[in-house]
Amino acid sequence: MTPHLPVSPSSSHRLLDAAPAAPQQQQRRRRRRRLCAGAGAGPRGRAARVRCCAAAAPQPRVAAGAGAGSRAATTRVFVVSDLHTDYRENMDWVLRLPVGGAGGAGIDALVVAGDVAETRDNFARTMAALRERFGAVFYVPGNHDLWLRRENGRYMDSLEKLTALLDACSELGVDTGPRTIGDLGIIPLFSWYHKSFDKEKDVNSVRVPSLEMACKDFHACKWPEDLANDDEALALYFDKLNDRNHDAIEEVKKSSKQILTFSHFVPRQELCPEKRMLYYPNLPKVIGSDFLERRLRTIHDNTKDGAACHVFGHTHFCWDSVVDEIRYVQAPLAYPRERKRRMNGGDGWLPFCIYRDGFNPEIYPALWSDYYNKNRREPENTQLAPWVAKYFAKYY
């Protein structure tokens, strides 16, 4: 997704969306900020074309970015989204992650919340590199992963490409289905967006490009005639793919003390800034799905003691907040130009360690989730933020 990020206000503490702070400052701030958180779809023939696969247990590897501790963690889980390794700088970031065997009997896992690469070949190269660096890798597809514009007619439609990506994952040992790592259940959730996800008042004071003009998915993806981006059909189709994993999900729930679900798309509109804050106010119409939120809530039916977390991607806004007893996290690598503008904190803090033999109870500072932790959301307010008003005055 091409994000529309507002100018970041200055801040004295480290934000996921801002420049990194010195290590001693980070430790002091972390202490101050600690928060103990207490089936097939569609026509039968098409459903057979897309399958969800879970790979066999891989050998442990060492990952980057572990936090400090007095003892070695036996299970660590890192998260990242929006790798976009079609950019050379982003592929270089992946290749800089260390390779090596794990010390002891532990395992490091990586959760990749979609948008790995635009072409199948780059996707396979990226996932192969990640499998060399992590004991387990989990993946769900993002919209960029299903683009066809650079595939030279290789696939009939984006569903056929989806099958090809899942096949590649199976061959590489990448998990696209539920699995338990240590005491943690990790459950990938397939999803897509729909316009009806947007429930907040539209900004009508300025003219903005249509969804078809602003969102490349409408041209770069290709779908069967009965599935379209302009209604709920496509989002419902992807949601129904999760029904195939129903038994596996139930088994993971029984055998896990804590659950991490993840998707590419956004499950709640509150996890995106208000429209008046965005350079493209219609962004919420192409980011998320109500089906996704309902689905993950049925999985996280026991949210006591901070045992529930959902990781997502797509908007490139760093996020870490608790809403209705579920923790929501976005940790995007994003585009090189965004990192250069320090709009998402650069790449030094990624991949983000969310779990070390238990979820880290610390809510990590991030620009926009911090903002909404302190300020009430105003969905009826359509007055443009100053940086957005200035942008439209200059370009429109």
Side-chain angles (χ1 to χ4, degrees):
M1 184 68 195
T2 302
H4 302 268
L5 297 168
V7 174
S8 303
S10 62
S11 174
S12 61
H13 65 283
R14 183 185 182 189
L15 301 171
L16 298 191
D17 311 65
Q24 289 182 346
Q25 292 176 311
Q26 293 176 30
Q27 293 172 6
R28 289 196 297 269
R29 287 159 190 164
R30 287 174 181 173
R31 285 195 291 269
R32 289 199 301 267
R33 294 185 55 81
R34 284 196 180 278
L35 174 63
C36 294
R44 189 171 300 174
R46 185 191 308 126
R49 293 167 53 194
V50 180
R51 50 189 182 274
C52 304
C53 53
Q59 294 300 310
R61 300 278 187 178
V62 167
S70 58
R71 65 179 181 85
T74 58
T75 302
R76 299 184 301 178
V77 177
F78 299 81
V79 298
V80 70
S81 70
D82 303 281
L83 291 172
H84 295 291
T85 56
D86 300 295
Y87 291 93
R88 182 70 254 177
E89 301 97 316
N90 287 19
M91 180 64 85
D92 289 343
W93 177 87
V94 169
L95 297 177
R96 285 196 301 270
L97 295 174
V99 179
I107 186 170
D108 288 338
L110 178 69
V111 167
V112 183
D115 274 6
V116 172
E118 186 174 332
T119 68
R120 187 267 180 204
D121 292 342
N122 276 349
F123 173 87
R125 281 192 288 269
T126 304
M127 301 310 280
L130 293 175
R131 280 295 289 116
E132 292 177 350
R133 289 157 172 80
F134 291 87
V137 176
F138 291 79
Y139 163 77
V140 290
N143 49 315
H144 283 243
D145 298 324
L146 302 184
W147 285 7
L148 301 179
R149 62 178 187 169
R150 294 180 182 171
E151 296 290 7
N152 299 317
R154 189 176 188 176
Y155 304 107
M156 180 176 64
D157 58 31
S158 293
L159 293 185
E160 185 177 4
K161 184 176 181 182
L162 173 59
T163 297
L165 297 184
L166 297 181
D167 286 343
C169 287
S170 182
E171 294 167 5
L172 292 167
V174 173
D175 289 283
T176 58
R179 181 178 161 200
T180 299
I181 300 289
D183 292 329
L184 178 67
I186 302 178
I187 302 176
L189 293 177
F190 291 77
S191 61
W192 201 262
Y193 56 80
H194 55 90
K195 287 190 295 186
S196 56
F197 174 75
D198 175 18
K199 307 295 194 302
E200 297 185 354
K201 191 171 183 179
D202 284 334
V203 172
N204 295 317
S205 58
V206 292
R207 295 183 62 183
V208 298
S210 66
L211 294 177
E212 291 76 9
M213 290 182 62
C215 181
K216 292 181 181 178
D217 297 344
F218 287 86
H219 311 286
C221 292
K222 181 181 179 182
W223 306 105
E225 291 183 0
D226 57 332
L227 298 179
N229 260 13
D230 57 359
D231 59 25
E232 295 182 354
L234 196 56
L236 183 59
Y237 174 83
F238 273 84
D239 179 67
K240 290 292 186 181
L241 292 177
N242 297 302
D243 290 340
R244 296 165 172 264
N245 286 328
H246 176 268
D247 291 344
I249 290 172
E250 292 302 310
E251 185 61 33
V252 165
K253 288 172 64 177
K254 291 177 184 176
S255 60
S256 305
K257 293 182 179 178
Q258 296 178 305
I259 298 289
L260 186 152
T261 54
F262 72 102
S263 62
H264 178 64
F265 296 101
V266 183
R268 301 177 69 108
Q269 192 164 356
E270 301 101 301
L271 305 176
C272 179
E274 298 157 78
K275 297 177 183 179
R276 62 194 177 94
M277 307 286 196
L278 301 169
Y279 289 136
Y280 185 61
N282 285 337
L283 183 66
K285 300 182 189 300
V286 289
I287 64 169
S289 169
D290 298 321
F291 305 120
L292 173 59
E293 174 71 2
R294 289 198 288 268
R295 174 81 57 175
L296 71 90
R297 288 277 160 179
T298 64
I299 295 170
H300 295 293
D301 50 9
N302 181 6
T303 57
K304 288 184 62 178
D305 302 323
C309 180
H310 184 82
V311 173
F312 63 100
H314 190 54
T315 59
H316 297 196
F317 293 114
C318 300
W319 211 279
D320 194 352
S321 66
V322 177
V323 183
D324 294 339
E325 299 185 279
I326 294 179
R327 184 177 180 181
Y328 294 89
V329 174
Q330 182 173 191
L333 182 62
Y335 299 133
R337 65 178 180 271
E338 292 167 347
R339 296 196 300 280
K340 289 175 184 176
R341 287 151 54 190
R342 292 183 175 178
M343 295 242 179
N344 77 332
D347 52 18
W349 61 281
L350 293 171
F352 181 43
C353 186
I354 192 73
Y355 183 92
R356 287 174 53 85
D357 291 337
F359 284 121
N360 185 346
E362 176 184 336
I363 299 300
Y364 215 77
L367 178 70
W368 280 110
S369 51
D370 270 11
Y371 176 83
Y372 285 110
N373 284 336
K374 300 170 185 174
N375 297 276
R376 182 173 60 88
R377 198 173 183 91
E378 300 179 68
E380 297 299 312
N381 185 354
T382 60
Q383 183 176 357
L384 296 178
W387 57 85
V388 180
K390 182 178 179 181
Y391 169 80
F392 276 97
K394 182 176 181 180
Y395 292 104
Y396 290 91

